[in-house]
Amino acid sequence: MARVNPASGVVLGLAAMATLWSASAIANDELLTLQKDPKQWVMPLGDYSSTRYSGLDQINAGNVKDLQVAWTFSTGVLRGHEGGPLVIGNMMYVHAPFPNTVFALDLSQDGKIVWKHEPKQDPNVIPVMCCDTVNRGVAYGDGLIFLHQADTSLVALDAMTGKVAWTAVDGDPTKGETGTSAPMVIKNMVLIGNSGAEFGVVGHVTAYDTKTGKQLWRANSVGPDSDTLMDPEKTTQLGKPVGKDSGIATWEGDQWKTGGGTAWGWMSYDPELNLVYYGTGNPSTWNPVQRPGDNKWSMTIFARDADTGMAKWVYQMTPHDEWDYDGVNEMILVDKEFNGEQRKLLVHFDRNGFGYTLDRETGALLVAEKFDPAVNWATKIDLETGLPERVKEFSTEAGGEDTNTQNICPAALGSKDQQPSAYSPKSGLFYVPTNHVCMDYEPYRVAYTAGQPYVGATLSMYPPKGEENLGNFIAWDATTGKIKWSLPEPFSVWSGALATAGDVVFYGTLEGYLKAVDAESGKELYRFKTPSGIIGNVNTYEYDGKQYVAVLSGLGGWAGIGMAAGLTGEQEGLGAVGAYKSLSQYTALGGTLTVFALPE
């Protein structure tokens, strides 16, 4: 069977392709080239900067209304389908939820299945997976497809044959560690972060050698400097040294050893600065009364040296979290003018409801504004100290254990969860899928037992008082911290957005609609109802001269956990079931890739 050289589009035989891949010097060099080719989609978030922007414009604001379904593909799994497919040359790589099946489809043969990898995993992993059995996608590099399995295994698959090249075990599911994140390939390394803070595991990011699977470095979120890879004098927060063993100093006793801070979200990379960026999640337990202190470095943006893992700077967004506002959402890297000066920026839309703009070289905080007006737990973020100005009425710690603090906005799933935003260099705007959800939160005392839930809170969720919609899709100016336009949606927008050079922005809805809107005005230009609710990320590619748009549908994730897992109690699913119970009137479970194109 022939293959296409992804860097040139030239059709090669298998032997020639193997020679090409084995001769590639560093995977990073290959990816630096491939990410610039809009005809392919070589990383889960499109490029190292996580912009989810495509330079393709065959589909544009004038003709997107004519889109039609070109073809579909069933994954055979009825759980939440997050992430999206990769396209390298004429090959498409599609992943699925547990058991994390991977399909290689040949676009030159009408999507023929070239190979299928179906891991054999212990089903006992499922009960320790928070918020559905999702997987956010595979990564490509150095002729390999990298899969981060639910059981924490990192598996390298030959991109041509699907054969397992090596497997590395990243954690221990019997203690509550799982894997849901998409890997990131940088140079000769593949990076992954772990999940499981609801079980009191310690969060970490680990770099493995792409050729052998050997662990190259591991950086924990909490613990002594030797574990967190922080220099007490050189690692800074807002320009000031963090000090010795900062990952212990703000914890009581040994609580950091079950401190959470897992890194289950997205990563970005700046090749010029050689820094990798990611965020960490909630501290354990969810009961803030049990863990006094700032609980560093949970809820933190990290900038680390890609080669060594050493932290250059950090910024903790929600010290001593009281609401489960994980900081794991994507870090979008853009170069823009700010206050008359060209700056290397990092833009992050946090679960806590604030949109942050930082200088990604120094970690300086430039902008922090609410991207959902309903946010009420804090009035603002002080740009000098970086600290939120909290409102006591909505403090779950001030309310105390066994007290139900009501009408907190946002809910624990945040004003935005992991569903990634998009950025268009043409409009200069960020397009953000958001949640518009509030909650009641009652913390209670809980004891730690390895492998058992370590949550310690009961939640209920609902739309803001006097409103009905649970989501909005917004356009955001990151230099001013202002919403340009906002489109209300009946449910949370849980899909990843896509911006294109055709002045079109795509996103999916929990009812199952793929929507296309005008990048400048937000005017809806197209919609199509797919077989199930969309929590996947919209991607685009070009093959044989034709542009396609692809999205996975398959209801699930935290918002859809009620239907995905068969839960009915209002407070089940960590509070989400009650808020989204009417979803069953609009869609059903599924697992389908739908691919769209313009008619001939």
Side-chain angles (χ1 to χ4, degrees):
M1 181 179 293
R3 291 289 187 274
V4 171
N5 174 356
S8 67
V10 177
V11 177
L12 299 175
L14 282 176
M17 198 63 188
T19 302
L20 171 77
W21 274 335
S22 63
S24 64
I26 304 177
N28 185 32
D29 292 341
E30 179 188 21
L31 289 172
L32 284 171
T33 299
L34 291 178
Q35 68 166 347
K36 297 176 183 177
D37 181 2
K39 296 180 181 180
Q40 307 184 71
W41 194 271
V42 299
M43 301 179 191
L45 298 190
D47 53 32
Y48 277 130
S49 297
S50 300
T51 62
R52 296 194 54 78
Y53 173 79
S54 171
L56 298 180
D57 61 2
Q58 187 180 103
I59 299 170
N60 56 55
N63 62 22
V64 69
K65 67 181 186 302
D66 299 323
L67 274 188
Q68 297 177 351
V69 174
W71 57 278
T72 62
F73 178 80
S74 172
T75 67
V77 183
L78 299 179
R79 290 298 289 252
H81 284 62
E82 292 184 346
L86 299 184
V87 176
I88 295 110
N90 63 300
M91 296 301 295
M92 175 182 281
Y93 300 95
V94 181
H95 71 286
F98 189 93
N100 306 138
T101 313
V102 180
F103 302 88
L105 309 181
D106 191 338
L107 300 177
S108 69
Q109 298 194 51
D110 296 325
K112 177 183 177 181
I113 301 174
V114 176
W115 56 259
K116 172 185 175 181
H117 174 74
E118 187 167 6
K120 304 301 180 184
Q121 298 188 68
D122 187 342
N124 289 323
V125 173
I126 295 175
V128 296
M129 296 188 75
C130 168
C131 322
D132 204 9
T133 61
V134 298
N135 182 283
R136 295 183 187 90
V138 295
Y140 167 80
D142 209 14
L144 298 168
I145 295 296
F146 297 97
L147 168 67
H148 187 192
Q149 294 182 177
D151 65 5
T152 81
S153 298
L154 176 63
V155 182
L157 305 170
D158 186 292
M160 296 183 294
T161 66
K163 292 182 178 179
V164 176
W166 53 259
T167 299
V169 177
D170 191 66
D172 185 354
T174 66
K175 295 181 179 178
E177 284 190 273
T178 53
T180 59
S181 65
M184 167 72 85
V185 176
I186 299 172
K187 298 185 179 181
N188 65 323
M189 301 170 289
V190 54
L191 279 62
I192 57 172
N194 66 338
S195 303
E198 281 64 48
F199 292 81
V201 310
V202 169
H204 53 71
V205 164
T206 309
Y208 295 91
D209 186 284
T210 55
K211 294 188 183 298
T212 66
K214 177 184 177 182
Q215 186 179 128
L216 300 177
W217 55 259
R218 169 168 287 181
N220 287 357
S221 305
V222 299
D225 292 338
S226 58
D227 290 355
T228 59
L229 303 188
M230 301 177 83
D231 186 305
E233 298 300 324
K234 294 181 180 179
T235 303
T236 61
Q237 176 171 228
L238 300 183
K240 298 178 181 179
V242 296
K244 181 177 174 57
D245 290 333
S246 56
I248 293 177
T250 63
W251 292 85
E252 186 176 83
D254 288 342
Q255 283 190 336
W256 62 270
K257 293 182 178 180
T258 54
T262 49
W264 55 270
W266 305 98
M267 301 181 196
S268 303
Y269 174 61
D270 185 327
E272 293 182 7
L273 300 177
N274 197 37
L275 293 177
V276 58
Y277 304 90
Y278 67 91
T280 60
N282 63 280
S284 306
T285 139
W286 286 24
N287 178 1
V289 179
Q290 277 188 251
R291 46 169 175 77
D294 282 352
N295 311 131
K296 291 181 169 61
W297 294 99
S298 64
M299 310 309 211
T300 297
I301 298 174
F302 274 90
R304 294 190 180 275
D305 182 279
D307 296 325
T308 65
M310 285 296 296
K312 180 178 181 181
W313 61 260
V314 292
Y315 170 55
Q316 189 180 40
M317 294 165 289
T318 313
H320 187 63
D321 171 70
E322 306 174 48
W323 310 274
D324 188 45
Y325 293 156
D326 288 46
V328 302
N329 296 346
E330 71 284 355
M331 312 291 166
I332 306 175
L333 313 183
V334 296
D335 296 343
K336 289 176 72 72
E337 186 176 291
F338 184 85
N339 287 346
E341 180 184 357
Q342 196 70 15
R343 303 284 287 266
K344 285 180 169 289
L345 302 180
L346 179 154
V347 178
H348 170 76
F349 300 95
D350 197 60
R351 282 245 292 254
N352 70 16
F354 285 87
Y356 295 86
T357 303
L358 299 94
D359 184 306
R360 70 176 182 270
E361 190 167 8
T362 66
L365 181 61
L366 306 175
V367 176
E369 297 289 345
K370 298 176 183 180
F371 62 92
D372 183 351
V375 172
N376 64 13
W377 70 274
T379 56
K380 68 175 185 176
I381 307 295
D382 186 308
L383 294 183
E384 290 189 11
T385 66
L387 295 174
E389 296 191 1
R390 305 181 188 221
V391 178
K392 186 176 181 180
E393 177 186 356
F394 305 114
S395 166
T396 65
E397 181 167 46
E401 292 179 338
D402 304 315
T403 299
N404 193 28
T405 302
Q406 298 180 324
N407 197 33
I408 305 165
C409 306
L413 42 68
S415 294
K416 178 188 174 304
D417 200 21
Q418 60 75 36
Q419 57 269 37
S421 310
Y423 169 73
S424 170
K426 290 187 70 175
S427 69
L429 296 173
F430 295 77
Y431 302 95
V432 191
T434 76
N435 310 315
H436 191 56
V437 189
C438 302
M439 68 175 172
D440 299 342
Y441 191 113
E442 182 175 337
Y444 59 87
R445 190 155 292 267
V446 62
Y448 173 77
T449 301
Q452 297 300 313
Y454 190 51
V455 178
T458 300
L459 285 67
S460 300
M461 299 184 188
Y462 43 81
K465 299 298 184 184
E467 301 185 53
E468 296 183 356
N469 63 301
L470 291 167
N472 296 295
F473 188 72
I474 70 169
W476 177 262
D477 186 328
T479 59
T480 63
K482 302 293 184 184
I483 297 172
K484 180 175 181 180
W485 49 256
S486 180
L487 308 177
E489 289 286 350
F491 300 101
S492 294
V493 185
W494 209 270
S495 80
L498 168 71
T500 74
D503 302 317
V504 180
V505 179
F506 294 90
Y507 68 96
T509 74
L510 284 176
E511 312 100 289
Y513 287 105
L514 173 74
K515 292 188 176 183
V517 299
D518 185 277
E520 283 292 341
S521 67
K523 178 183 177 182
E524 184 176 309
L525 304 174
Y526 175 80
R527 67 163 64 188
F528 180 87
K529 186 77 175 289
T530 64
S532 183
I534 298 176
I535 64 170
N537 305 333
V538 189
N539 295 354
T540 190
Y541 65 95
E542 182 180 308
Y543 184 73
D544 198 20
K546 195 174 188 66
Q547 182 182 354
Y548 296 87
V549 173
V551 67
L552 282 167
S553 64
L555 187 66
W558 195 351
I561 189 64
M563 290 180 63
L567 305 177
T568 57
E570 294 272 326
Q571 294 180 330
E572 289 189 285
L574 297 173
V577 173
Y580 299 90
K581 59 186 177 182
S582 64
L583 259 177
S584 61
Q585 301 173 28
Y586 299 92
T587 190
L589 301 181
T592 303
L593 176 74
T594 306
V595 181
F596 301 82
L598 294 172
E600 297 293 342

